[in-house]
Amino acid sequence: MSMIETADAEGGLSLHQRILSDISEKILSGAWAPGHRIPFEHELSAQYNCSRMTVNKALSQLAKAGLIERRRRSGSFVRQPQSQAAVLEIHDIRVEVEALGLLYRYERVARHKRRSDAEDRALLELGAAGPVLALECRHFAGKRPFAHEQRLINLTAVPEASDEEFLAIAPSPWLIGRVPWSEAEHRIRAVGADKQVAAALDIAAGAPCLVVERRTWSAEHPVTYVRFTYPADSHTLVARFRPSQG
Amino acid sequence: MSMIETADAEGGLSLHQRILSDISEKILSGAWAPGHRIPFEHELSAQYNCSRMTVNKALSQLAKAGLIERRRRSGSFVRQPQSQAAVLEIHDIRVEVEALGLLYRYERVARHKRRSDAEDRALLELGAAGPVLALECRHFAGKRPFAHEQRLINLTAVPEASDEEFLAIAPSPWLIGRVPWSEAEHRIRAVGADKQVAAALDIAAGAPCLVVERRTWSAEHPVTYVRFTYPADSHTLVARFRPSQG
DNA sequence: GTGGCGATTATGTATATACATATTGAAACG
DNA sequence: CGTTTCAATATGTATATACATAATCGCCAC
């Protein structure tokens, strides 16, 4: 068994990557239907003339990617069509605007430091009362308002934010890098613009808008809640599904 | 070195999982800032009193999850705050409605088989002309319209669909399981309802709606294009970010 | 100095081996 | 006939080892 060799012909892929992609191809093409039992590790290791560890590495990754299910003593099986999960990339607004070839401009409309009220605590999912920073901002693409931002920052989690005016820098880039975050939840929906947002975005009240709300946690503590409102024509979120990779 | 032992105290985690979670905790808590060099594999293997392979398994997974970056000869480093990517779960409409505790009902409004016109080809990203099936459907939650569905099915890719009326079963569940798909793209935006959709959803024309468009490919061939329109108050998409797992 | 070259080093991949663990199927038993 | 037990089996985890590969550091010549 002389498998200590580099890249086995096939385009620079390592062996376990090749096994992985061979199998996922079979599954995604439909050649192996859901429920189909894929060859045992020892069969594949014989087929590819390699050790079981190498096959195991490939199959473990397929299992983690959700394409197969592994059962001790029984073998590995192609999973039923998975619940559709897509990867949503959420970019910085500056990057989005500049990707459109437009000039980005940021404006801080309002900034209030206060003790959290009931609504703040609900939005931040905060247990006890404490200081929060409430911000209202506008993001422009060229001359037109591109997005409206309403934000709460939990000053208990991010005390440094007390001293920041957010005139020169937007809250998102300020927070990123400064506060490590362990979890985030996004809620996406359509709404009719209320009066305040309509005025800020220079659109009619009731005009359709895309709202993206994000809540962020760091080590169990709520960090920030933010609500971005985009006029209907300014913004599309794109999510891609890709079932696996080497 | 007597590491052939089960679960090292710490709650049933395997050793490489424990190493992985220890390190990701350090990163996510901010103890190790972006750019920080994490200990070399041989240092960690000494620290955990285990082999380098075990450490390697943990670090490889962290690298694939995007938390660290590995450089030969230099070591492994905590990555800069990653581009925000979240996992968007897109459920079957029936499941969504039933999760709300409401009765689900499906209705096929229209069905046309035709040769693809220019618009069809644009929506399906189809190169050449060919037969397509155009469908219009409504999904109800209780008595109220919950979503409107406009769909194109590429009959070249799914010839069996020619014989299906889609009266008893909605296109999504029919397609899932029958057609394996390798890639999907979702576009999410807000729109004002046009006349046709407003009538179908029993809302005012121009009322804000969430639109989810999905294009699906199977083995390089376009399979289907679908556009779901939800009245603003009926639907919220939720996306979660979780940086890593064992 | 500086340009190149080789030694060093950390990661990347693969192997053979060992033992753990869960589960199944069949044999043994009441 | 049902139940309990046990051996067989496939995956899960870990080890020690080997060699490949890429990048960097320092040395040496020019």
Side-chain angles (χ1 to χ4, degrees), chain A residues 13-23 48 50 53-59 61-62 246, chain B residues 64:
Chain A
L13 282 180
S14 62
L15 186 48
H16 71 264
Q17 283 174 331
R18 194 156 71 85
I19 297 173
L20 189 152
S21 76
D22 283 359
I23 294 174
Y48 284 92
C50 67
M53 279 300 294
T54 303
V55 173
N56 184 286
K57 193 166 185 174
L59 294 192
Q61 287 188 45
L62 282 169
Chain B
K64 219 165 49 149

Side-chain angles (χ1 to χ4, degrees), chain B residues 93 137-141 144-149 200-201 228-231 234:
Chain B
I93 294 182
C137 316
R138 291 205 289 173
H139 303 263
F140 290 81
R144 293 187 49 197
F146 181 79
H148 182 246
E149 173 176 351
L201 289 175
F228 292 105
T229 307
Y230 302 87
S234 83

Side-chain angles (χ1 to χ4, degrees), chain A residues 109-127:
Chain A
V109 177
R111 175 181 183 280
H112 300 291
K113 189 152 68 172
R114 63 169 181 250
R115 202 155 165 287
S116 59
D117 59 26
E119 193 191 339
D120 296 342
R121 287 198 293 278
L123 290 174
L124 278 170
E125 291 190 354
L126 211 55

Side-chain angles (χ1 to χ4, degrees), chain A residues 213-227:
Chain A
E213 288 173 299
R214 174 162 67 231
R215 253 189 275 270
T216 308
W217 290 265
S218 175
E220 315 270 323
H221 289 291
V223 171
T224 188
Y225 160 87
V226 61
R227 176 185 167 142

Side-chain angles (χ1 to χ4, degrees), chain A residues 54-182:
Chain A
T54 303
V55 173
N56 184 286
K57 193 166 185 174
L59 294 192
S60 301
Q61 287 188 45
L62 282 169
K64 218 165 48 150
L67 277 188
I68 67 171
E69 188 191 331
R70 314 201 69 191
R71 286 203 289 274
R72 279 173 151 133
R73 169 68 218 247
S74 309
S76 302
F77 299 83
V78 178
R79 288 231 306 186
Q80 295 302 329
Q82 36 256 251
S83 70
Q84 302 216 79
V87 175
L88 185 67
E89 296 263 355
I90 296 180
H91 302 100
D92 191 61
I93 295 183
R94 153 167 259 131
V95 173
E96 285 183 69
V97 169
E98 288 173 350
L100 294 170
L102 296 168
L103 185 68
Y104 173 78
R105 187 164 67 82
Y106 160 76
E107 177 189 282
R108 195 210 69 191
V109 177
R111 175 181 183 280
H112 300 291
K113 189 152 68 172
R114 63 169 181 250
R115 202 155 165 287
S116 59
D117 59 26
E119 193 191 339
D120 296 342
R121 287 198 293 278
L123 290 174
L124 278 170
E125 291 190 354
L126 211 55
V132 298
L133 189 66
L135 293 165
E136 185 187 346
C137 315
R138 291 205 288 174
H139 303 263
F140 290 82
K143 301 211 162 177
R144 294 188 49 197
F146 182 78
H148 182 245
E149 172 175 353
Q150 292 158 295
R151 184 182 287 266
L152 288 173
I153 299 176
N154 179 10
L155 290 175
T156 310
V158 199
E160 319 92 274
S162 293
D163 305 322
E164 176 62 48
E165 284 295 326
F166 295 107
L167 286 168
I169 184 171
S172 288
W174 188 90
L175 282 165
I176 290 178
R178 204 162 312 240
V179 185
W181 44 285
S182 54

